Amino acid sequence: MAGNKSYTIVEYFGGDDGYRCGYCKNEKGNFSHGMWSHTMTVQDYQDLIDRGWRRSGKYVYKPIMNKTCCPQYTIRCHVLKFQPSKSHKKILKKMSKFISKGELPTGQDDGEPMDSVCGEEGPRELSKVCHAEMKCVAITDIQKEVAECPTITEAQKEVADAAPTGSESSRKDPVSVPDGRTTVTAPKPGMGADPSRPPCRKAKDLRKERRLQKEQMRQHADGVSSIVSPTPPTPTQTNQTKTLEDFINESLPDNFSHCLEVRLVRSSPPSPQFKASFDASYQVYKLYQMAIHKDPPDKPSECQFRRFLCDSPLEAEYSPDGPEVGYGSFHQQYWLDGRIVAVGVIDILPTCVSSVYLYYHPEFASLSLGSYSALREIAFTRQMQKQSPKLSYYYLGFYIHSCPKMRYKGQYRPSDLLCPETYVWLPIERCLPQLENSRYARFNQDPDAGDARVLKDVNRALVLYRRAVMPYAAYSRKRKGSSDETEVQQYASLVGQDCAERILLYRA
């Protein structure tokens, strides 16, 4: 962010070969472009996911929408306008009943599978990725040198009109303290019968607020990095619509049999809290993969867990106008009575919180933790938006209309789908009729509209070659007779002109 001199370094793999689809089980019908990202700034990743890319660990992929068997459309929710549906309220009440009375609901989960990024998207490129890591054994040294490489300044002068993304200024939320912990403050005085006194409050609300305060004081003493607590409700008129936070607070009753905490820990680079809870988190993941995805006991290995759910190319970045916890990759851990029962893997980016994956202990599958965690992540995004006004979207990954089990993501309204050709956002209500008629659809109905960041000059794309940064034009002069122009052209077209002029494409 501001004052940051980091650079994104990627290797592009192309996307010619079909592989097994985790949704329709077609053995050769899934097609996507792929890149291995050695390091990536949060702004570059924000721009990439706004062009249909998505990460699984350090592997970043983009479905070939008009070719793949199950087109995957990027979906985002407007968190400030979000209101829980009847089914969402039912899930929150189910959690409230469990916490208060200790009774697990009978029956199975509502059947909301999370994206199979671990099982399907990553492993197909493992051989290429491992080769790339061996081939670029000196990449760490390169990263250290890149920031001070004089060639970068010269290269950027050659692409001088590539302007960096600006950032809006914002005021910090006064209820947050520097370590990222959210504190509970008393509601602001309102106008009652006596203007000099606050309005009367229900005893239930007062008890709930005192309980939250005591809980957070206890957690502070325990040294937890960040507790994600719903904002205490302010006095509201009885005729006002309840907010998501109101419903979440109601799901945490005064008299309870269980204690549920949501903790935010930075996963990359790993914080002390992440390291301390790693083994417990991995064991939950292993149980989840075996029970939900029917993996054999030896498949959910620790190496796989680290590669796809812990490793991240995103750097920890901080900005004066950003959230106090900073940007980057995190695990949002759900602790029940002192043990981890679920983990949401998320990225905090300049304009959104992006959901990566969720796994949970199979014992609690009937609590609909997929939907519950999404509601908590929406509430968390709203909390972050108070600190950074431009951070106002929650990205749910991909919406896959051709797979009925993945349509649940469209229930978080209002939401938009990304047009796969013009990369503009359109309300999901306008897109669904097209998807009923065809698996692949261009949502933008303006026939003259195009990609605003379309590639105009591949020669301006930045290349990292022999520890030097240069425009592709200079690289091609050095590598006379090079046969990679088609590949570089394809890569630059997929990331767009702006990103091509910022991201360093590694060339051996």
Side-chain angles (χ1 to χ4, degrees):
M1 306 307 291
N4 196 307
K5 295 183 179 180
S6 298
Y7 294 88
T8 296
I9 303 174
V10 301
E11 289 185 76
Y12 177 65
F13 292 137
D16 297 327
D17 299 329
Y19 58 100
R20 186 176 186 272
C21 176
Y23 305 107
C24 71
K25 310 307 179 184
N26 186 318
E27 291 296 329
K28 293 290 184 180
N30 203 345
F31 291 86
S32 69
H33 300 282
M35 299 189 296
W36 181 260
S37 178
H38 297 279
T39 181
M40 182 171 287
T41 67
V42 293
Q43 185 60 59
D44 285 340
Y45 186 54
Q46 177 73 69
D47 290 344
L48 287 176
I49 63 174
D50 285 338
R51 292 183 65 83
W53 293 84
R54 179 166 163 77
R55 79 172 185 88
S56 173
K58 292 189 175 184
Y59 181 72
V60 188
Y61 62 98
K62 184 183 191 304
I64 304 177
M65 300 292 282
N66 59 357
K67 187 178 181 181
T68 192
C69 54
C70 296
Q72 302 160 58
Y73 300 89
T74 304
I75 182 171
R76 71 179 186 182
C77 171
H78 297 253
V79 297
L80 297 183
K81 300 177 182 178
F82 174 80
Q83 282 294 331
S85 66
K86 185 178 294 186
S87 63
H88 294 150
K89 296 173 188 176
K90 182 180 178 182
I91 289 168
L92 292 172
K93 289 179 181 178
K94 181 163 55 175
M95 178 64 76
S96 175
K97 184 177 180 180
F98 168 68
I99 293 175
S100 61
K101 299 181 180 180
E103 300 175 3
L104 272 174
T106 58
Q108 297 298 315
D109 186 11
D110 292 341
E112 296 153 339
M114 303 306 288
D115 293 334
S116 300
V117 293
C118 289
E120 305 301 335
E121 295 299 347
R124 77 182 187 92
E125 294 291 354
L126 279 184
S127 59
K128 293 183 179 180
V129 168
C130 293
H131 173 70
E133 290 178 314
M134 293 174 62
K135 177 178 61 178
C136 300
V137 66
I139 199 71
T140 304
D141 297 330
I142 295 174
Q143 289 171 217
K144 293 178 180 178
E145 295 180 14
V146 159
E148 300 176 356
C149 178
T151 318
I152 288 183
T153 306
E154 298 167 9
Q156 289 183 326
K157 287 179 180 178
E158 297 188 40
V159 289
D161 59 346
T165 303
S167 58
E168 305 168 11
S169 61
S170 65
R171 180 175 56 87
K172 287 291 183 185
D173 183 357
V175 304
S176 298
V177 291
D179 67 350
R181 189 185 308 277
T182 303
T183 60
V184 179
T185 57
K188 297 178 180 178
M191 296 298 291
D194 182 353
S196 64
R197 301 181 63 186
C200 295
R201 300 178 60 197
K202 292 182 179 180
K204 179 180 178 181
D205 291 339
L206 292 171
R207 289 197 304 271
K208 189 171 296 183
E209 182 176 319
R210 285 196 293 269
R211 180 172 63 82
L212 286 171
Q213 288 175 327
K214 290 179 180 179
E215 183 64 23
Q216 290 184 336
M217 289 175 65
R218 182 188 66 78
Q219 291 161 345
H220 181 71
D222 291 343
V224 178
S225 62
S226 180
I227 305 299
V228 182
S229 301
T231 304
T234 55
T236 57
Q237 299 298 325
T238 55
N239 60 348
Q240 284 185 322
T241 303
K242 287 185 178 180
T243 66
L244 172 62
E245 289 75 13
D246 292 331
F247 285 107
I248 291 178
N249 280 318
E250 289 180 0
S251 74
L252 304 174
D254 302 320
N255 302 315
F256 49 87
S257 298
H258 297 292
C259 178
L260 177 67
E261 303 171 11
V262 183
R263 304 180 184 179
L264 183 73
V265 296
R266 184 178 288 278
S267 55
S268 182
S271 65
Q273 293 80 11
F274 175 83
K275 293 178 180 178
S277 59
F278 177 87
D279 289 340
S281 183
Y282 166 60
Q283 291 304 320
V284 173
Y285 163 76
K286 188 172 183 178
L287 291 171
Y288 173 82
Q289 291 295 117
M290 289 190 294
I292 307 300
H293 291 295
K294 311 302 180 185
D295 284 356
D298 59 334
K299 184 178 179 182
S301 66
E302 182 177 319
C303 178
Q304 181 195 51
F305 175 65
R306 287 183 182 275
R307 181 182 293 276
F308 295 111
L309 295 180
C310 303
D311 292 348
S312 170
L314 302 182
E315 300 182 349
E317 300 183 36
Y318 298 86
S319 173
D321 61 348
E324 293 183 358
V325 296
Y327 299 106
S329 298
F330 298 82
H331 279 195
Q332 203 164 66
Q333 302 173 336
Y334 294 77
W335 290 74
L336 182 68
D337 301 332
R339 66 167 177 151
I340 296 177
V341 296
V343 177
V345 182
I346 62 172
D347 294 327
I348 301 179
L349 304 175
T351 65
C352 76
V353 169
S354 175
S355 175
V356 178
Y357 199 69
L358 173 86
Y359 56 94
Y360 53 81
H361 197 296
E363 178 184 343
F364 304 97
S366 59
L367 288 172
S368 303
L369 291 174
S371 291
Y372 182 77
S373 65
L375 294 170
R376 292 299 298 255
E377 288 172 6
I378 289 174
F380 173 70
T381 307
R382 287 155 69 126
Q383 181 182 333
M384 293 296 97
Q385 194 276 337
K386 292 181 179 180
Q387 302 173 16
S388 181
K390 60 184 178 179
L391 205 161
S392 58
Y393 295 101
Y394 173 60
Y395 283 47
L396 294 94
F398 288 135
Y399 174 81
I400 307 170
H401 193 76
S402 60
C403 180
K405 288 186 178 181
M406 297 303 293
R407 293 184 184 180
Y408 75 92
K409 294 186 179 184
Q411 299 172 2
Y412 299 87
R413 307 283 180 93
S415 57
D416 304 320
L417 295 183
L418 184 69
C419 177
E421 295 183 14
T422 62
Y423 303 112
V424 297
W425 296 96
L426 292 100
I428 191 171
E429 295 84 355
R430 290 174 52 185
C431 304
L432 293 181
Q434 295 175 261
L435 293 177
E436 286 294 330
N437 295 326
S438 174
R439 291 191 174 198
Y440 173 75
R442 170 191 164 112
F443 300 137
N444 193 331
Q445 295 300 294
D446 181 358
D448 298 324
D451 177 7
R453 297 182 177 180
V454 65
L455 179 67
K456 297 177 181 178
D457 186 0
V458 69
N459 288 320
R460 300 164 65 86
L462 287 184
V463 170
L464 178 61
Y465 175 61
R466 291 185 177 178
R467 300 176 183 264
V469 178
M470 62 194 72
Y472 180 72
Y475 164 79
S476 59
R477 288 195 298 268
K478 288 179 177 290
R479 289 285 305 273
K480 292 181 180 179
S482 175
S483 59
D484 62 358
E485 182 175 357
T486 300
E487 180 180 303
V488 175
Q489 181 93 24
Q490 184 182 60
Y491 149 80
S493 298
L494 292 167
V495 302
Q497 186 73 44
D498 291 351
C499 283
E501 294 181 9
R502 293 198 312 267
I503 296 175
L504 308 185
L505 177 64
Y506 179 81
R507 309 309 289 170

